Amino acid sequence: MDLCKPVSFKPTRYTQAQFRYGISKLEDLINNDDDNSDLVVRENPLKERFLDHQYIREVFNPAGQLLVTKIHKVEHPFFLLQGEMSIITEKGEEHISAPYYGVTAVGTKRIIYTHTDCVFVTVHATELKDTDKIENEVIAKEYTELEEL
């Protein structure tokens, strides 16, 4: 079975700067709008596992959730084990269904809408065992941090 299904990207009308500005504004609206409490869940069940040189993170996202991910500063694989979601990035929009795997590129920040309940897994190469330190290693707080890499 081919888990990496071909995906067609719709062309984008936005520059990288416009997309980054817009996604940051959307994230602010989501995080500061209490009226969206049914649509946006701030905490989702998370399972974590540490192996030699690896951190595995599994998150459950309920159907109908709109979320904005963090800025990734390290390339890593991701796996959609259950469900269907639409994802918008600087490259455009895609719809993926489980089972699916892909690679998160440096600088990726996503808008995700879950059409069904989803289980999403990421794997990070690291020697660390502290999740706060791992997040500092793999997540940028601002896009400007990417320029330093």
Side-chain angles (χ1 to χ4, degrees):
M1 173 188 290
D2 182 10
L3 296 181
C4 192
K5 301 170 188 165
V7 176
S8 62
F9 287 95
K10 295 179 182 176
T12 180
R13 301 176 297 153
Y14 304 104
T15 66
Q16 182 183 66
Q18 289 171 324
F19 179 84
R20 289 179 175 184
Y21 175 80
I23 196 170
S24 295
K25 289 298 178 190
L26 176 62
E27 184 175 32
D28 289 345
L29 287 171
I30 290 171
N31 290 337
N32 295 316
D33 187 356
D34 292 333
D35 292 338
N36 282 333
S37 60
D38 289 338
L39 181 61
V40 179
V41 177
R42 288 172 180 29
E43 297 289 328
N44 295 333
L46 178 66
K47 295 178 185 176
E48 298 171 300
R49 183 147 185 213
F50 296 92
L51 303 175
D52 288 340
H53 318 291
Q54 295 177 6
Y55 166 59
I56 302 169
R57 185 174 185 276
E58 176 185 313
V59 63
F60 173 80
N61 301 113
Q65 185 175 50
L66 178 68
L67 60 123
V68 177
T69 67
K70 297 181 180 182
I71 303 166
H72 300 273
K73 62 182 182 183
V74 177
E75 183 179 67
H76 64 274
F78 70 87
F79 304 87
L80 181 62
L81 301 181
Q82 173 188 321
E84 293 183 33
M85 61 175 54
S86 291
I87 302 171
I88 299 172
T89 66
E90 292 176 5
K91 294 181 179 179
E93 181 183 346
E94 62 183 316
H95 181 91
I96 63 173
S97 301
Y100 181 89
Y101 79 92
V103 175
T104 298
V106 172
T108 299
K109 184 174 179 87
R110 298 177 175 97
I111 300 168
I112 296 175
Y113 179 77
T114 56
H115 299 282
T116 64
D117 287 351
C118 293
V119 175
F120 197 83
V121 174
T122 59
V123 179
H124 304 273
T126 185
E127 299 298 323
L128 301 173
K129 303 289 184 190
D130 179 297
T131 54
D132 290 333
K133 290 180 180 177
I134 293 171
E135 183 162 320
N136 287 333
E137 183 178 65
V138 301
I139 299 297
K141 291 177 182 51
E142 302 289 334
Y143 282 109
T144 54
E145 287 182 47
L146 301 176
E147 297 165 7
E148 300 168 6
L149 298 177

